[in-house]
Amino acid sequence: MENSVCASDTVKPALEAVRPHLPADTDLTSAEVRQLSGGWSRHSYVVTTVDRLEQKREFVVRVRPSGALLETDIGVEYRTYQMVSDEPIPVPRVYGYEDSADNPFGGPFFVMDKLDGWAPSTWQRDHRELLERNWATSRSIAEDLLDILHKIHSVPVERCEGVLPRLSYVDVVRYWLSIYEGMRLVRDPIVEEAFSWLLDRVPVDEHLGLVHGDYRIGNTLIADDRIAGVLDWELAFVGDTRFDLGYMSLEYLAGKFLRKGSRLLCGTAAREWFMAEYQRRRGVSVDDEVVRTYSVMGALMLITILLTGIRYFHDGSTSDIRMAWGRFAIPGLRQDLVHLMGW
Amino acid sequence: MFDSLTPAELVQAMSNTLRKTVSSTGSAGSEFDQVQCLSGASIGRYLAQELAHARELTDWFRSRIDRALAEAASGGDDKDEDLCRDLARRIRPAVEINDMGDAIADFLRDLDNLPDTGQRRRAESLLHGCLRDLADRQVLMLLGEYPPEPDADDTDENPRN
Protein backbone atom coordinates (compact mmCIF):
# COMPACT_ATOMS: atom_id res chain seq x y z
CA MET A 1 0.00 0.00 0.00
CA GLU A 2 2.69 2.48 1.04
CA ASN A 3 4.96 4.09 -1.53
CA SER A 4 3.04 2.58 -4.45
CA VAL A 5 2.81 5.80 -6.43
CA CYS A 6 6.56 6.36 -6.12
CA ALA A 7 7.51 3.22 -8.06
CA SER A 8 8.88 4.03 -11.51
CA ASP A 9 5.96 2.54 -13.43
CA THR A 10 3.31 4.36 -11.40
CA VAL A 11 4.75 7.86 -11.18
CA LYS A 12 3.34 8.86 -14.54
CA PRO A 13 -0.27 7.89 -13.78
CA ALA A 14 0.07 9.61 -10.39
CA LEU A 15 1.23 12.82 -12.04
CA GLU A 16 -1.63 12.60 -14.54
CA ALA A 17 -4.05 12.31 -11.61
CA VAL A 18 -2.59 15.41 -9.99
CA ARG A 19 -2.29 17.50 -13.18
CA PRO A 20 -5.87 18.87 -13.25
CA HIS A 21 -5.50 20.04 -9.66
CA LEU A 22 -2.31 22.06 -10.11
CA PRO A 23 -1.96 25.66 -11.30
CA ALA A 24 -2.51 25.77 -15.07
CA ASP A 25 1.06 26.80 -15.92
CA THR A 26 2.69 23.87 -14.08
CA ASP A 27 5.15 21.93 -16.24
CA LEU A 28 5.20 18.25 -15.24
CA THR A 29 7.69 17.13 -17.90
CA SER A 30 10.40 16.26 -15.42
CA ALA A 31 8.39 16.05 -12.22
CA GLU A 32 9.17 13.65 -9.37
CA VAL A 33 7.03 12.18 -6.59
CA ARG A 34 8.16 11.09 -3.13
CA GLN A 35 6.26 10.07 -0.03
CA LEU A 36 6.80 11.85 3.28
CA SER A 37 7.26 9.60 6.30
CA GLY A 38 4.82 11.35 8.63
CA GLY A 39 1.07 11.19 8.56
CA TRP A 40 -1.07 8.62 10.32
CA SER A 41 -4.47 9.40 8.96
CA ARG A 42 -3.33 11.19 5.83
CA HIS A 43 -0.56 10.20 3.46
CA SER A 44 1.47 13.05 2.05
CA TYR A 45 3.47 13.10 -1.16
CA VAL A 46 5.71 15.82 -2.51
CA VAL A 47 5.51 16.55 -6.22
CA THR A 48 8.59 18.44 -7.42
CA THR A 49 8.37 20.19 -10.76
CA VAL A 50 11.13 21.88 -12.76
CA ASP A 51 10.25 24.36 -15.48
CA ARG A 52 12.24 25.33 -18.60
CA LEU A 53 14.16 27.95 -16.62
CA GLU A 54 15.23 25.23 -14.14
CA GLN A 55 12.98 26.74 -11.48
CA LYS A 56 11.90 24.16 -8.91
CA ARG A 57 8.46 24.19 -7.39
CA GLU A 58 7.08 21.80 -4.80
CA PHE A 59 3.50 20.79 -4.02
CA VAL A 60 2.11 18.51 -1.34
CA VAL A 61 -0.55 15.97 -2.27
CA ARG A 62 -2.50 15.21 0.89
CA VAL A 63 -4.39 11.94 0.59
CA ARG A 64 -6.99 10.26 2.74
CA PRO A 65 -6.11 6.60 2.16
CA SER A 66 -8.55 3.76 2.67
CA GLY A 67 -8.25 2.49 6.25
CA ALA A 68 -7.18 5.94 7.44
CA LEU A 69 -6.88 6.32 11.17
CA LEU A 70 -9.67 8.85 11.46
CA GLU A 71 -12.93 8.90 9.58
CA THR A 72 -12.51 12.61 8.99
CA ASP A 73 -13.65 14.12 5.71
CA ILE A 74 -10.74 15.36 3.62
CA GLY A 75 -13.16 17.58 1.68
CA VAL A 76 -13.95 19.43 4.91
CA GLU A 77 -10.23 19.77 5.58
CA TYR A 78 -9.70 21.19 2.09
CA ARG A 79 -12.46 23.77 2.55
CA THR A 80 -11.05 24.63 5.99
CA TYR A 81 -7.67 25.44 4.44
CA GLN A 82 -9.46 27.58 1.85
CA MET A 83 -11.40 29.42 4.53
CA VAL A 84 -8.41 29.95 6.82
CA SER A 85 -6.20 31.20 4.00
CA ASP A 86 -8.45 34.31 3.84
CA GLU A 87 -7.53 35.04 7.45
CA PRO A 88 -4.18 36.38 8.74
CA ILE A 89 -3.17 32.82 9.59
CA PRO A 90 -0.15 31.25 7.86
CA VAL A 91 -1.31 28.16 5.96
CA PRO A 92 -0.22 26.72 2.62
CA ARG A 93 -2.26 27.79 -0.36
CA VAL A 94 -4.52 24.98 -1.60
CA TYR A 95 -5.30 24.22 -5.23
CA GLY A 96 -7.55 21.45 -6.54
CA TYR A 97 -9.48 18.76 -4.72
CA GLU A 98 -10.18 15.25 -6.03
CA ASP A 99 -13.04 13.54 -4.24
CA SER A 100 -12.85 10.21 -6.03
CA ALA A 101 -10.81 7.41 -4.45
CA ASP A 102 -10.23 5.85 -7.85
CA ASN A 103 -6.76 7.23 -8.50
CA PRO A 104 -3.15 6.03 -8.04
CA PHE A 105 -2.95 7.66 -4.60
CA GLY A 106 -5.66 5.32 -3.34
CA GLY A 107 -7.98 7.94 -1.88
CA PRO A 108 -9.44 11.40 -2.23
CA PHE A 109 -6.78 14.11 -2.13
CA PHE A 110 -6.09 17.79 -2.42
CA VAL A 111 -3.02 19.67 -3.56
CA MET A 112 -1.34 22.52 -1.74
CA ASP A 113 1.90 24.46 -1.78
CA LYS A 114 4.80 22.93 0.10
CA LEU A 115 5.99 25.50 2.59
CA ASP A 116 9.62 25.78 3.58
CA GLY A 117 10.46 24.82 7.12
CA TRP A 118 10.80 21.96 9.54
CA ALA A 119 8.20 20.43 11.82
CA PRO A 120 9.52 20.15 15.39
CA SER A 121 9.09 16.83 17.14
CA THR A 122 9.05 17.41 20.87
CA TRP A 123 9.83 13.71 21.36
CA GLN A 124 13.29 14.32 19.87
CA ARG A 125 15.84 15.73 22.29
CA ASP A 126 17.63 17.87 19.68
CA HIS A 127 14.36 19.50 18.61
CA ARG A 128 13.43 20.16 22.24
CA GLU A 129 16.79 21.80 22.78
CA LEU A 130 16.31 24.07 19.75
CA LEU A 131 12.88 25.14 20.99
CA GLU A 132 14.11 25.69 24.54
CA ARG A 133 17.01 27.80 23.24
CA ASN A 134 14.56 29.94 21.31
CA TRP A 135 12.45 30.42 24.44
CA ALA A 136 15.57 31.41 26.41
CA THR A 137 16.58 34.00 23.79
CA SER A 138 14.22 35.66 21.30
CA ARG A 139 10.99 33.78 22.16
CA SER A 140 10.01 34.30 18.54
CA ILE A 141 8.49 30.82 18.17
CA ALA A 142 6.52 31.13 21.40
CA GLU A 143 5.25 34.56 20.34
CA ASP A 144 4.13 33.16 16.99
CA LEU A 145 2.46 30.14 18.59
CA LEU A 146 0.49 32.49 20.81
CA ASP A 147 -0.25 35.06 18.12
CA ILE A 148 -1.51 32.47 15.64
CA LEU A 149 -3.71 30.78 18.23
CA HIS A 150 -5.20 34.18 19.06
CA LYS A 151 -5.92 34.72 15.36
CA ILE A 152 -7.48 31.26 14.95
CA HIS A 153 -9.75 31.84 17.92
CA SER A 154 -10.66 35.28 16.54
CA VAL A 155 -12.03 33.96 13.22
CA PRO A 156 -15.70 35.00 13.14
CA VAL A 157 -17.87 31.97 13.76
CA GLU A 158 -20.16 32.95 10.85
CA ARG A 159 -17.22 32.43 8.49
CA CYS A 160 -17.09 28.77 9.51
CA GLU A 161 -20.76 28.08 8.78
CA GLY A 162 -21.20 25.50 6.06
CA VAL A 163 -17.55 24.52 6.37
CA LEU A 164 -17.08 23.09 9.84
CA PRO A 165 -19.40 21.34 12.29
CA ARG A 166 -20.56 23.12 15.44
CA LEU A 167 -19.81 20.78 18.35
CA SER A 168 -20.78 21.32 21.96
CA TYR A 169 -18.65 20.02 24.83
CA VAL A 170 -20.93 17.01 25.26
CA ASP A 171 -20.93 16.35 21.48
CA VAL A 172 -17.13 16.10 21.55
CA VAL A 173 -17.05 13.80 24.58
CA ARG A 174 -19.75 11.55 23.12
CA TYR A 175 -18.01 11.47 19.73
CA TRP A 176 -14.72 10.19 21.17
CA LEU A 177 -16.54 7.85 23.54
CA SER A 178 -18.36 6.26 20.60
CA ILE A 179 -15.05 5.82 18.75
CA TYR A 180 -13.51 4.27 21.87
CA GLU A 181 -16.44 1.87 22.21
CA GLY A 182 -16.21 0.88 18.57
CA MET A 183 -12.45 0.49 18.38
CA ARG A 184 -11.29 -0.90 21.71
CA LEU A 185 -10.07 -4.48 21.77
CA VAL A 186 -10.14 -4.62 25.56
CA ARG A 187 -11.76 -2.45 28.21
CA ASP A 188 -9.67 0.15 29.99
CA PRO A 189 -11.19 1.15 33.35
CA ILE A 190 -9.05 4.30 33.52
CA VAL A 191 -10.20 5.50 30.13
CA GLU A 192 -13.83 4.69 30.89
CA GLU A 193 -13.68 6.52 34.21
CA ALA A 194 -12.10 9.49 32.45
CA PHE A 195 -14.99 9.71 29.98
CA SER A 196 -17.40 9.55 32.89
CA TRP A 197 -15.36 12.24 34.72
CA LEU A 198 -15.67 14.50 31.66
CA LEU A 199 -19.44 14.07 31.49
CA ASP A 200 -19.64 15.21 35.12
CA ARG A 201 -17.65 18.37 34.37
CA VAL A 202 -19.54 20.22 31.65
CA PRO A 203 -18.22 23.81 31.76
CA VAL A 204 -20.84 26.35 32.76
CA ASP A 205 -19.91 28.68 29.91
CA GLU A 206 -18.48 28.38 26.40
CA HIS A 207 -15.80 30.41 24.63
CA LEU A 208 -17.23 29.86 21.16
CA GLY A 209 -14.89 30.04 18.18
CA LEU A 210 -12.83 28.17 15.63
CA VAL A 211 -10.99 25.31 17.33
CA HIS A 212 -7.97 23.90 15.50
CA GLY A 213 -8.38 20.61 17.35
CA ASP A 214 -4.75 19.47 17.06
CA TYR A 215 -2.87 22.69 17.82
CA ARG A 216 0.70 21.88 18.83
CA ILE A 217 4.16 22.87 17.79
CA GLY A 218 4.54 19.62 15.84
CA ASN A 219 1.78 20.75 13.48
CA THR A 220 3.64 23.89 12.51
CA LEU A 221 6.53 24.52 10.17
CA ILE A 222 9.44 26.59 11.46
CA ALA A 223 11.62 28.66 9.14
CA ASP A 224 14.19 31.20 10.34
CA ASP A 225 12.93 30.85 13.91
CA ARG A 226 9.40 31.86 12.95
CA ILE A 227 6.28 29.79 12.41
CA ALA A 228 5.83 29.72 8.65
CA GLY A 229 2.66 27.64 8.58
CA VAL A 230 0.05 25.77 10.59
CA LEU A 231 -0.93 22.37 9.23
CA ASP A 232 -3.23 19.43 9.94
CA TRP A 233 -6.66 20.98 10.20
CA GLU A 234 -8.55 17.71 9.92
CA LEU A 235 -9.87 17.86 13.52
CA ALA A 236 -11.03 21.49 13.37
CA PHE A 237 -14.53 22.38 14.53
CA VAL A 238 -16.54 25.26 15.91
CA GLY A 239 -16.81 24.96 19.67
CA ASP A 240 -15.09 25.88 22.90
CA THR A 241 -11.71 27.36 22.05
CA ARG A 242 -10.37 26.35 25.46
CA PHE A 243 -10.04 22.84 24.03
CA ASP A 244 -6.88 24.01 22.22
CA LEU A 245 -5.44 25.35 25.51
CA GLY A 246 -6.09 22.13 27.40
CA TYR A 247 -4.73 20.03 24.59
CA MET A 248 -1.55 22.10 24.29
CA SER A 249 -1.00 21.73 28.02
CA LEU A 250 -0.55 17.96 27.81
CA GLU A 251 2.81 16.67 29.01
CA TYR A 252 2.72 14.34 26.03
CA LEU A 253 2.92 17.29 23.64
CA ALA A 254 5.91 18.66 25.55
CA GLY A 255 7.76 15.49 24.62
CA LYS A 256 6.73 13.05 27.30
CA PHE A 257 6.47 9.55 25.95
CA LEU A 258 7.20 7.64 29.14
CA ARG A 259 9.68 10.03 30.70
CA LYS A 260 8.95 13.73 31.19
CA GLY A 261 9.88 15.87 28.19
CA SER A 262 10.31 19.63 28.19
CA ARG A 263 9.20 21.76 31.15
CA LEU A 264 7.72 24.16 28.56
CA LEU A 265 4.21 24.06 27.14
CA CYS A 266 4.47 22.24 23.80
CA GLY A 267 8.22 22.42 24.44
CA THR A 268 7.97 26.06 23.37
CA ALA A 269 6.86 28.53 26.06
CA ALA A 270 6.49 28.74 29.83
CA ARG A 271 2.93 27.71 30.56
CA GLU A 272 2.24 30.63 32.93
CA TRP A 273 3.49 33.14 30.37
CA PHE A 274 1.46 31.60 27.56
CA MET A 275 -1.79 31.47 29.54
CA ALA A 276 -1.38 34.99 30.92
CA GLU A 277 -0.57 36.47 27.49
CA TYR A 278 -3.40 34.56 25.85
CA GLN A 279 -5.91 35.97 28.34
CA ARG A 280 -4.50 39.47 27.97
CA ARG A 281 -4.69 39.43 24.17
CA ARG A 282 -8.11 37.81 24.02
CA GLY A 283 -9.46 39.93 26.83
CA VAL A 284 -10.91 36.90 28.53
CA SER A 285 -10.38 35.04 31.74
CA VAL A 286 -9.62 31.35 31.42
CA ASP A 287 -10.39 29.06 34.32
CA ASP A 288 -7.51 26.63 35.01
CA GLU A 289 -10.02 23.99 36.03
CA VAL A 290 -11.69 24.17 32.62
CA VAL A 291 -8.28 23.91 30.95
CA ARG A 292 -7.58 20.81 33.07
CA THR A 293 -10.89 19.33 31.91
CA TYR A 294 -9.92 19.92 28.28
CA SER A 295 -6.50 18.37 28.90
CA VAL A 296 -8.28 15.18 29.93
CA MET A 297 -10.42 15.44 26.81
CA GLY A 298 -7.29 15.90 24.69
CA ALA A 299 -5.57 12.89 26.25
CA LEU A 300 -8.67 10.76 25.64
CA MET A 301 -8.79 11.92 22.05
CA LEU A 302 -5.17 10.85 21.54
CA ILE A 303 -5.71 7.50 23.26
CA THR A 304 -8.79 6.87 21.13
CA ILE A 305 -6.90 7.68 17.94
CA LEU A 306 -4.11 5.31 18.99
CA LEU A 307 -6.68 2.59 19.79
CA THR A 308 -8.14 3.07 16.32
CA GLY A 309 -4.73 2.42 14.77
CA ILE A 310 -4.28 -0.67 16.93
CA ARG A 311 -7.71 -1.94 15.88
CA TYR A 312 -6.91 -1.43 12.18
CA PHE A 313 -3.60 -3.25 12.57
CA HIS A 314 -5.30 -6.07 14.46
CA ASP A 315 -8.02 -6.42 11.80
CA GLY A 316 -5.49 -6.37 8.95
CA SER A 317 -6.76 -3.07 7.49
CA THR A 318 -3.19 -1.78 7.59
CA SER A 319 0.25 -3.34 7.80
CA ASP A 320 1.80 -0.07 9.03
CA ILE A 321 3.61 -1.23 12.18
CA ARG A 322 3.46 2.27 13.68
CA MET A 323 -0.19 1.52 14.39
CA ALA A 324 0.79 -1.45 16.57
CA TRP A 325 3.56 0.60 18.15
CA GLY A 326 0.87 3.04 19.32
CA ARG A 327 0.13 0.51 22.09
CA PHE A 328 3.24 1.79 23.85
CA ALA A 329 2.23 5.44 23.52
CA ILE A 330 -0.89 4.82 25.60
CA PRO A 331 0.67 4.07 29.04
CA GLY A 332 2.25 7.54 29.29
CA LEU A 333 -1.05 9.19 28.37
CA ARG A 334 -2.95 6.96 30.77
CA GLN A 335 -0.55 8.04 33.51
CA ASP A 336 -1.25 11.69 32.62
CA LEU A 337 -4.98 10.99 32.85
CA VAL A 338 -4.87 9.63 36.41
CA HIS A 339 -2.84 12.57 37.63
CA LEU A 340 -4.89 15.17 35.76
CA MET A 341 -8.02 13.76 37.39
CA GLY A 342 -6.33 14.03 40.79
CA TRP A 343 -6.52 10.33 41.63
CA MET B 1 11.79 -25.83 28.90
CA PHE B 2 15.40 -25.68 30.01
CA ASP B 3 16.33 -23.08 27.42
CA SER B 4 19.01 -20.49 27.76
CA LEU B 5 18.00 -16.95 26.87
CA THR B 6 14.59 -15.79 27.99
CA PRO B 7 11.88 -14.62 25.55
CA ALA B 8 12.58 -11.09 26.79
CA GLU B 9 16.26 -11.38 25.90
CA LEU B 10 15.46 -12.73 22.46
CA VAL B 11 12.96 -9.98 21.72
CA GLN B 12 15.49 -7.40 22.87
CA ALA B 13 18.10 -8.95 20.56
CA MET B 14 15.70 -8.75 17.60
CA SER B 15 15.00 -5.13 18.44
CA ASN B 16 18.72 -4.30 18.59
CA THR B 17 19.30 -5.98 15.23
CA LEU B 18 16.53 -3.97 13.58
CA ARG B 19 17.91 -0.73 14.96
CA LYS B 20 21.48 -1.55 13.88
CA THR B 21 20.25 -2.50 10.40
CA VAL B 22 18.62 0.90 9.97
CA SER B 23 21.81 2.65 11.16
CA SER B 24 24.12 0.68 8.89
CA THR B 25 22.01 0.82 5.72
CA GLY B 26 21.47 4.56 6.17
CA SER B 27 19.57 6.02 3.27
CA ALA B 28 19.56 2.76 1.28
CA GLY B 29 15.94 2.09 2.19
CA SER B 30 13.11 4.53 1.76
CA GLU B 31 12.32 6.93 4.57
CA PHE B 32 9.07 5.07 5.09
CA ASP B 33 10.81 1.69 5.41
CA GLN B 34 13.32 3.09 7.89
CA VAL B 35 10.53 4.39 10.09
CA GLN B 36 8.86 0.98 9.92
CA CYS B 37 12.08 -0.73 11.08
CA LEU B 38 12.61 1.77 13.88
CA SER B 39 9.03 1.26 15.06
CA GLY B 40 9.64 -2.50 15.08
CA ALA B 41 12.81 -1.96 17.11
CA SER B 42 10.94 0.24 19.57
CA ILE B 43 8.19 -2.37 19.99
CA GLY B 44 10.86 -4.97 20.72
CA ARG B 45 12.48 -2.82 23.41
CA TYR B 46 9.21 -2.30 25.31
CA LEU B 47 7.96 -5.81 24.73
CA ALA B 48 11.13 -7.21 26.27
CA GLN B 49 10.32 -5.30 29.48
CA GLU B 50 6.75 -6.59 29.42
CA LEU B 51 7.86 -10.17 28.96
CA ALA B 52 10.23 -9.81 31.88
CA HIS B 53 7.90 -8.06 34.34
CA ALA B 54 4.21 -8.13 33.30
CA ARG B 55 3.34 -11.16 35.47
CA GLU B 56 5.03 -9.55 38.42
CA LEU B 57 3.08 -6.34 37.82
CA THR B 58 -0.24 -8.19 37.62
CA ASP B 59 0.50 -10.02 40.87
CA TRP B 60 1.43 -6.74 42.52
CA PHE B 61 -1.83 -5.15 41.33
CA ARG B 62 -3.91 -7.98 42.71
CA SER B 63 -2.24 -7.72 46.11
CA ARG B 64 -2.57 -3.91 46.03
CA ILE B 65 -6.33 -4.27 45.58
CA ASP B 66 -6.59 -6.98 48.23
CA ARG B 67 -4.75 -4.79 50.71
CA ALA B 68 -6.89 -1.76 49.91
CA LEU B 69 -10.10 -3.79 50.23
CA ALA B 70 -9.01 -5.20 53.57
CA GLU B 71 -8.24 -1.70 54.87
CA ALA B 72 -11.51 -0.29 53.60
CA ALA B 73 -13.56 -3.13 55.07
CA SER B 74 -11.95 -2.85 58.47
CA GLY B 75 -12.23 0.94 58.67
CA GLY B 76 -15.73 1.44 57.26
CA ASP B 77 -19.28 0.46 58.14
CA ASP B 78 -21.35 -2.53 57.02
CA LYS B 79 -22.17 -0.94 53.67
CA ASP B 80 -18.46 -0.39 52.94
CA GLU B 81 -17.88 -4.01 53.74
CA ASP B 82 -20.66 -5.10 51.34
CA LEU B 83 -19.17 -3.09 48.48
CA CYS B 84 -15.68 -4.46 49.17
CA ARG B 85 -17.00 -8.00 49.25
CA ASP B 86 -18.81 -7.44 45.94
CA LEU B 87 -15.65 -6.10 44.28
CA ALA B 88 -13.51 -8.92 45.67
CA ARG B 89 -16.03 -11.48 44.41
CA ARG B 90 -15.92 -10.01 40.91
CA ILE B 91 -12.14 -9.71 40.66
CA ARG B 92 -11.17 -13.02 42.22
CA PRO B 93 -11.85 -15.22 39.14
CA ALA B 94 -9.82 -12.93 36.85
CA VAL B 95 -6.39 -14.35 36.12
CA GLU B 96 -5.10 -11.97 33.44
CA ILE B 97 -4.85 -8.22 33.82
CA ASN B 98 -7.37 -7.61 31.02
CA ASP B 99 -9.96 -9.74 32.85
CA MET B 100 -9.30 -7.71 35.97
CA GLY B 101 -9.78 -4.57 33.87
CA ASP B 102 -13.18 -5.84 32.71
CA ALA B 103 -14.28 -6.60 36.27
CA ILE B 104 -13.11 -3.23 37.59
CA ALA B 105 -14.69 -1.30 34.71
CA ASP B 106 -18.02 -3.10 35.31
CA PHE B 107 -17.84 -2.46 39.04
CA LEU B 108 -17.10 1.26 38.57
CA ARG B 109 -19.94 1.58 36.08
CA ASP B 110 -22.32 -0.03 38.56
CA LEU B 111 -21.08 2.34 41.25
CA ASP B 112 -21.96 5.23 38.97
CA ASN B 113 -25.58 4.12 39.09
CA LEU B 114 -25.70 4.14 42.90
CA PRO B 115 -26.71 7.22 44.92
CA ASP B 116 -23.80 9.56 45.67
CA THR B 117 -23.01 8.36 49.18
CA GLY B 118 -19.87 8.27 51.29
CA GLN B 119 -19.62 4.51 50.68
CA ARG B 120 -19.70 4.96 46.96
CA ARG B 121 -17.09 7.69 47.04
CA ARG B 122 -14.80 5.65 49.28
CA ALA B 123 -15.06 2.64 46.97
CA GLU B 124 -14.30 4.78 43.91
CA SER B 125 -11.40 6.45 45.61
CA LEU B 126 -9.98 3.11 46.67
CA LEU B 127 -10.03 1.79 43.13
CA HIS B 128 -8.75 5.03 41.64
CA GLY B 129 -5.73 4.85 43.95
CA CYS B 130 -5.01 1.27 42.86
CA LEU B 131 -5.39 2.17 39.18
CA ARG B 132 -3.20 5.26 39.57
CA ASP B 133 -0.41 3.18 41.09
CA LEU B 134 -0.80 0.60 38.34
CA ALA B 135 -0.49 3.31 35.65
CA ASP B 136 2.65 4.67 37.32
CA ARG B 137 4.18 1.24 37.66
CA GLN B 138 3.47 0.28 34.07
CA VAL B 139 5.41 3.33 32.92
CA LEU B 140 8.32 2.41 35.20
CA MET B 141 8.21 -1.13 33.84
CA LEU B 142 8.40 0.02 30.22
CA LEU B 143 11.27 2.33 31.14
CA GLY B 144 13.19 -0.66 32.49
CA GLU B 145 13.00 0.68 36.04
CA TYR B 146 10.89 -2.07 37.55
CA PRO B 147 10.49 -2.91 40.36
CA PRO B 148 10.59 0.55 41.93
CA GLU B 149 12.14 1.32 45.33
CA PRO B 150 10.85 -1.19 47.94
CA ASP B 151 9.04 1.34 50.13
CA ALA B 152 6.80 2.39 47.23
CA ASP B 153 4.93 -0.89 47.77
CA ASP B 154 3.68 0.17 51.15
CA THR B 155 2.28 3.58 50.37
CA ASP B 156 -0.32 5.26 48.22
CA GLU B 157 2.24 7.87 47.18
CA ASN B 158 2.93 8.22 43.50
CA PRO B 159 6.36 6.59 43.10
CA ARG B 160 7.25 9.08 40.36
CA ASN B 161 6.64 12.15 42.52
Side-chain angles (χ1 to χ4, degrees):
Chain A
M1 175 173 76
E2 291 81 17
N3 277 326
S4 58
V5 303
C6 302
S8 57
D9 56 337
T10 48
V11 167
K12 213 171 172 184
L15 290 172
E16 286 309 314
V18 170
R19 184 189 294 279
H21 305 292
L22 290 168
D25 60 344
T26 309
D27 181 358
L28 287 174
T29 315
S30 46
E32 292 173 358
V33 184
R34 68 185 162 91
Q35 185 177 10
L36 296 175
S37 65
W40 291 47
S41 57
R42 301 280 188 259
H43 288 175
S44 294
Y45 300 83
V46 175
V47 175
T48 308
T49 65
V50 184
D51 67 18
R52 290 187 188 88
L53 299 170
E54 298 286 305
Q55 292 291 309
K56 255 191 181 180
R57 194 161 174 197
E58 291 185 308
F59 301 93
V60 170
V61 182
R62 192 161 163 81
V63 185
R64 184 193 179 283
S66 61
L69 206 51
L70 291 168
E71 294 292 328
T72 48
D73 185 337
I74 196 167
V76 171
E77 187 183 1
Y78 171 69
R79 289 190 290 279
T80 305
Y81 270 101
Q82 279 183 317
M83 176 190 79
V84 173
S85 64
D86 292 335
E87 304 290 335
I89 297 167
V91 288
R93 181 178 172 189
V94 291
Y95 299 98
Y97 167 60
E98 173 60 61
D99 68 353
S100 162
D102 185 20
N103 65 67
F105 292 99
F109 66 82
F110 63 87
V111 180
M112 59 187 184
D113 273 334
K114 180 175 181 297
L115 299 180
D116 287 334
W118 59 284
S121 167
T122 49
W123 298 284
Q124 284 181 231
R125 187 191 298 268
D126 54 341
H127 287 197
R128 283 203 302 270
E129 286 171 356
L130 284 169
L131 292 170
E132 283 172 2
R133 205 172 304 137
N134 181 273
W135 170 251
T137 54
S138 74
R139 298 189 175 186
S140 55
I141 298 173
E143 291 278 2
D144 283 352
L145 194 69
L146 172 71
D147 185 52
I148 295 168
L149 186 65
H150 169 50
K151 286 171 176 160
I152 292 172
H153 290 175
S154 301
V155 171
V157 170
E158 314 79 68
R159 290 237 43 226
C160 306
E161 274 172 25
V163 178
L164 286 168
R166 161 80 172 93
L167 300 176
S168 70
Y169 173 93
V170 173
D171 289 337
V172 178
V173 178
R174 292 206 185 284
Y175 172 75
W176 289 113
L177 178 58
S178 71
I179 305 274
Y180 165 78
E181 292 290 354
M183 291 296 159
R184 66 173 173 77
L185 293 167
V186 298
R187 292 184 69 186
D188 184 329
I190 294 175
V191 167
E192 293 183 18
E193 278 291 276
F195 274 116
S196 177
W197 187 85
L198 283 182
L199 289 169
D200 285 342
R201 288 174 64 97
V202 181
V204 293
D205 59 348
E206 186 181 44
H207 292 194
L208 190 65
L210 170 59
V211 181
H212 180 281
D214 192 9
Y215 195 72
R216 57 190 171 92
I217 197 69
N219 276 339
T220 70
L221 289 172
I222 309 286
D224 297 327
D225 280 346
R226 303 302 303 266
I227 293 181
V230 178
L231 309 172
D232 291 342
W233 290 79
E234 66 184 280
L235 291 169
F237 62 97
V238 174
D240 194 331
T241 51
R242 292 171 295 184
F243 174 88
D244 284 332
L245 296 174
Y247 181 67
M248 291 175 81
S249 300
L250 285 173
E251 295 265 353
Y252 181 74
L253 299 181
K256 176 191 171 188
F257 188 73
L258 294 168
R259 222 179 278 286
K260 193 170 167 60
S262 170
R263 68 193 158 80
L264 301 175
L265 176 124
C266 273
T268 307
R271 187 178 186 282
E272 300 71 26
W273 174 86
F274 193 94
M275 293 298 171
E277 278 298 300
Y278 176 87
Q279 292 177 81
R280 190 181 65 76
R281 289 194 200 190
R282 305 265 322 128
V284 296
S285 173
V286 176
D287 183 345
D288 270 348
E289 279 300 297
V290 175
V291 174
R292 180 162 73 103
T293 302
Y294 278 115
S295 290
V296 169
M297 192 189 279
L300 284 174
M301 177 184 95
L302 289 170
I303 288 173
T304 304
I305 292 170
L306 290 162
L307 289 175
T308 304
I310 293 165
R311 159 67 75 170
Y312 285 178
F313 188 85
H314 175 267
D315 291 354
S317 306
T318 178
S319 58
D320 185 343
I321 200 165
R322 290 175 303 169
M323 302 299 159
W325 171 87
R327 176 184 186 279
F328 295 105
I330 292 175
L333 283 162
R334 196 190 281 122
Q335 185 186 40
D336 290 347
L337 275 183
V338 298
H339 292 286
L340 278 166
M341 292 189 291
W343 285 7
Chain B
M1 280 292 285
F2 309 114
D3 301 313
S4 310
L5 292 179
T6 63
E9 287 171 315
L10 287 167
V11 168
Q12 183 65 61
M14 286 164 55
S15 165
N16 293 346
T17 304
L18 272 173
R19 191 171 292 276
K20 277 182 197 154
T21 305
V22 174
S23 309
S24 60
T25 54
S27 57
S30 72
E31 195 184 340
F32 185 87
D33 290 340
Q34 285 180 41
V35 170
Q36 294 289 298
C37 286
L38 288 174
S39 300
S42 183
I43 288 174
R45 182 155 54 102
Y46 297 127
L47 189 54
Q49 295 300 330
E50 274 198 9
L51 284 167
H53 299 293
R55 188 73 255 167
E56 200 181 341
L57 183 63
T58 302
D59 292 345
W60 170 85
F61 184 53
R62 182 183 293 282
S63 68
R64 171 77 175 84
I65 289 182
D66 285 347
R67 215 168 44 238
L69 286 175
E71 278 171 26
S74 66
D77 58 22
D78 287 352
K79 285 180 182 166
D80 283 301
E81 210 172 322
D82 288 346
L83 276 178
C84 291
R85 204 173 298 123
D86 181 25
L87 177 59
R89 182 182 53 76
R90 295 193 202 196
I91 291 181
R92 199 168 299 122
V95 176
E96 300 301 330
I97 192 86
N98 286 342
D99 300 327
M100 293 174 77
D102 276 350
I104 292 170
D106 277 340
F107 182 77
L108 285 167
R109 195 186 50 200
D110 292 347
L111 277 183
D112 257 354
N113 295 325
L114 294 178
D116 187 10
T117 59
Q119 285 85 17
R120 175 187 147 179
R121 282 198 296 275
R122 278 193 290 278
E124 280 172 345
S125 171
L126 176 156
L127 275 176
H128 290 169
C130 295
L131 290 167
R132 176 201 63 214
D133 291 350
L134 177 67
D136 284 336
R137 278 173 178 256
Q138 188 190 16
V139 166
L140 289 177
M141 178 187 74
L142 294 173
L143 283 169
E145 295 172 8
Y146 198 84
E149 295 301 311
D151 63 345
D153 251 2
D154 302 322
T155 171
D156 282 353
E157 295 286 315
N158 167 15
R160 286 179 65 78
N161 281 343

